[in-house]
C-alpha cells in the first residue's frame, strides 16, 4: 500500500512577508499557491492539483471593491493619478483598476495597502471603514485568502471646483 503525499513546493528566496507566511513560487512570478492538493486516482476530484493566485488578481479585486464605496473619488498618489489620466485619454487605453493598491500575498494570508482620494465633505473615517469592510469581504470571498490588514492612506480630497476647472480647460479653443 502506497501513501500519496501532496506535491512539495519550495519557497522562493526573499519572499517572506509581514503576514508571517511564506510565498510559494508558481509558474509565473508573483503567484501564490493557495491549496496544494494531492495526486492520484484515490483522491477526490476537487483536491487533485494546486490552485495558484497571482498577486495582480488580489490587486484588481481590492481596487474594484474600494472604488464601489461612495465617497471614494479616485485612487493612487499624485504621480500615478496623473499618469493614469494620460493613459485614460489615449485611444484604446483602459483604466488601471489596480492603481493605488499594493498587496503582499502569503500562502494563506494577504495584507493590502490602499491610497485613496476622497470627495470633499465625506467623513474620512467612515469611508475608510467602509472601504476596509468591502475590500476584506471581496478578497476573502473571491480568493479564500485571509486578509490580515487593510491600510488606508488618504492622499487628497477632491473639491467640487476641481471638476469646473477641468471642464473649462477642455472646452477652450486654441
Amino acid at each position: 500500500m502506497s501513501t500519496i503525499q501532496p506535491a512539495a513546493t519550495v519557497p522562493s528566496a526573499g519572499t517572506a512577508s509581514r503576514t508571517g507566511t511564506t510565498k510559494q513560487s508558481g509558474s509565473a512570478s508573483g503567484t501564490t499557491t493557495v491549496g496544494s492538493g494531492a495526486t492520484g486516482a484515490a483522491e477526490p476530484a476537487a483536491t487533485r492539483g494546486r490552485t495558484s493566485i497571482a498577486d495582480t488578481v488580489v490587486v484588481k479585486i481590492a481596487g474594484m471593491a474600494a472604488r464601489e464605496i461612495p465617497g471614494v473619488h479616485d485612487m493612487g498618489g499624485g504621480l500615478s493619478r496623473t499618469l493614469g489620466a494620460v493613459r485614460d485619454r489615449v485611444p484604446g487605453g483602459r483604466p488601471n483598476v489596480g492603481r493605488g493598491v499594493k498587496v503582499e500575498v502569503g500562502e494563506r494570508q494577504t495584507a493590502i495597502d490602499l491610497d485613496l482620494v476622497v470627495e470633499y465633505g465625506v467623513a474620512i473615517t467612515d469611508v475608510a471603514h467602509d472601504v476596509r469592510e468591502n475590500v476584506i469581504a471581496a478578497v476573502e470571498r473571491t480568493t479564500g485568502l485571509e486578509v490580515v490588514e487593510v491600510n488606508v492612506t488618504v492622499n487628497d480630497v477632491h473639491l467640487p471646483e476641481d471638476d469646473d476647472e477641468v471642464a473649462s480647460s477642455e472646452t477652450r479653443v486654441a
Side-chain angles (χ1 to χ4, degrees):
M1 180 168 155
S2 64
T3 304
I4 300 172
Q5 296 180 355
T9 55
V10 179
S12 301
T15 56
S17 68
R18 70 174 165 217
T19 59
T21 61
T22 304
K23 184 185 274 189
Q24 301 294 320
S25 63
S27 60
S29 65
T31 60
T32 298
T33 301
V34 174
S36 56
T39 58
E43 294 297 319
T47 61
R48 292 184 205 166
R50 260 193 324 236
T51 302
S52 297
I53 298 175
D55 294 358
T56 56
V57 171
V58 178
V59 166
K60 287 181 179 182
I61 293 167
M64 291 296 292
R67 284 177 172 80
E68 292 174 352
I69 301 302
V72 174
H73 175 74
D74 201 358
M75 294 183 64
L79 180 62
S80 70
R81 286 196 324 268
T82 302
L83 293 174
V86 170
R87 183 180 177 184
D88 292 346
R89 288 192 174 119
V90 172
R94 52 189 174 120
N96 180 5
V97 296
R99 183 174 60 226
V101 182
K102 296 178 199 91
V103 299
E104 289 183 45
V105 182
E107 188 175 334
R108 291 179 299 272
Q109 298 176 327
T110 186
I112 303 168
D113 298 324
L114 302 170
D115 293 332
L116 302 179
V117 177
V118 297
E119 296 286 346
Y120 175 76
V122 299
I124 293 173
T125 54
D126 291 345
V127 170
H129 179 266
D130 293 345
V131 165
R132 273 190 194 93
E133 282 186 342
N134 203 41
V135 167
I136 289 170
V139 170
E140 287 183 347
R141 180 185 66 246
T142 307
T143 66
L145 295 168
E146 176 189 2
V147 179
V148 294
E149 65 182 8
V150 175
N151 299 312
V152 176
T153 303
V154 177
N155 288 326
D156 201 359
V157 174
H158 178 259
L159 302 174
E161 55 265 12
D162 291 345
D163 289 336
D164 296 339
E165 292 173 14
V166 171
S168 65
S169 67
E170 288 179 1
T171 58
R172 265 185 97 92
V173 178

